[in-house]
Amino acid sequence: LIDFFEDAEFIEKANYVRSLLPEVCRKDYQAPTDDDIDVFFRKVCGKKTFNPYTKPEMVPGGVIIRGENCVGEDSIDDMVSAMEEKVKENNLDKNLRLFYMLDPTPVTEEQINNEEYETPVILLTGADVAPETSFTTKGIISALGVVGIASFSLGALSFNDGFMDRLTNAADLGDGNLSWISDLAAPLFLATLGIQLAHELAHRIVAFKDKFDIGLPTIVPSLQLGLTGAITPINTP
């Protein structure tokens, strides 16, 4: 019976972690090794940052460490920054990544009554949590985005009375040369695509300036506006 409740608790905890970090980001196969976890536990955690009071517990893609925030709630960013510096000092930055989060363990009634249900934990995962998407999938989605922009540009012309009159006359005369339509739609198409490309170029400039790596953007289509925007993954941990 005890094993049953322990398994149920682990499943709930695992599902919570999976909801925070989906499989494409979590990458279970890159979970920190026991040696890396041990070094983190002994040399990164401590009474000046985050003081653990339990051993690391396995969760999908990594481990959680329960403990006490020793710097106060107003200095959480400073605590995390200090721990990240120690991670680099101990050459762990290429092997793991830390997240400061609320305890994912299911809350008991006793914890609610004692207001002990928002305790912090450290979640350790592999260093690379950038989502993995195949080049083919990204290419297809981006192509649909470009088609969406073209469709929007053409659709916008339908609100122009002069355009509709010209189109009607061309149909009445049996004129099959409709290249003028693309000429009219081109400015809106190029302007919309150009603004998005300029935005993505700005991402590249910032990444180069701040020395971090980003992946290729994926243009996201929209049924209403042709283009929702773009998703650019950050590859640097």
Side-chain angles (χ1 to χ4, degrees):
L1 186 60
I2 293 176
D3 289 341
F4 172 79
F5 284 112
E6 288 181 347
D7 289 343
E9 181 178 320
F10 175 79
I11 290 171
E12 278 199 70
K13 180 167 56 180
N15 288 338
Y16 181 81
V17 174
R18 290 190 182 102
S19 69
L20 290 175
L21 288 174
E23 187 174 356
V24 293
C25 297
R26 193 174 62 250
K27 302 176 184 177
D28 293 354
Y29 60 90
Q30 292 186 8
T33 65
D34 291 341
D35 290 340
D36 289 336
I37 295 171
D38 181 62
V39 172
F40 181 91
F41 191 82
R42 291 185 294 104
K43 296 187 177 182
V44 178
C45 295
K47 294 182 179 180
K48 293 182 179 181
T49 52
F50 184 85
N51 190 30
Y53 50 68
T54 64
K55 293 182 179 180
E57 301 175 27
M58 297 300 299
V59 293
V63 299
I64 60 172
I65 300 174
R66 305 178 193 280
E68 178 185 5
N69 171 9
C70 297
V71 298
E73 292 299 320
D74 295 332
S75 303
I76 291 176
D77 290 341
D78 294 337
M79 180 195 73
V80 173
S81 296
M83 296 183 75
E84 289 177 341
E85 284 299 320
K86 287 190 175 183
V87 166
K88 292 180 181 179
E89 290 173 5
N90 289 278
N91 299 317
L92 296 175
D93 53 311
K94 294 182 179 179
N95 301 334
L96 57 80
R97 191 168 185 180
L98 71 92
F99 298 89
Y100 184 79
M101 55 183 282
L102 295 180
D103 191 343
T105 305
V107 180
T108 65
E109 185 176 351
E110 181 180 356
Q111 288 175 313
I112 294 176
N113 293 333
N114 296 333
E115 297 184 352
E116 298 175 346
Y117 54 89
E118 291 189 346
T119 54
V121 298
I122 295 293
L123 169 66
L124 296 182
T125 68
D128 182 12
V129 292
E132 289 184 335
T133 307
S134 70
F135 183 79
T136 301
T137 301
K138 295 178 70 170
I140 292 173
I141 294 174
S142 294
L144 290 174
V146 174
V147 171
I149 298 173
S151 300
F152 174 74
S153 302
L154 291 171
L157 295 175
S158 63
F159 295 98
N160 187 302
D161 292 336
F163 168 79
M164 295 305 297
D165 291 341
R166 184 176 177 182
L167 185 62
T168 301
N169 291 334
D172 293 340
L173 295 174
D175 184 2
N177 182 14
L178 301 178
S179 59
W180 56 273
I181 296 179
S182 60
D183 294 338
L184 291 175
L188 181 56
F189 173 82
L190 294 175
T192 304
L193 186 60
I195 290 172
Q196 188 61 50
L197 291 178
H199 181 84
E200 297 309 315
L201 178 61
H203 285 172
R204 289 282 167 185
I205 293 173
V206 172
F208 178 78
K209 171 181 171 292
D210 293 338
K211 298 180 181 179
F212 63 91
D213 181 42
I214 60 175
L216 293 174
T218 301
I219 298 177
V220 182
S222 168
L223 293 177
Q224 286 120 345
L225 301 176
L227 176 69
T228 298
I231 298 174
T232 304
I234 299 177
N235 297 328
T236 301

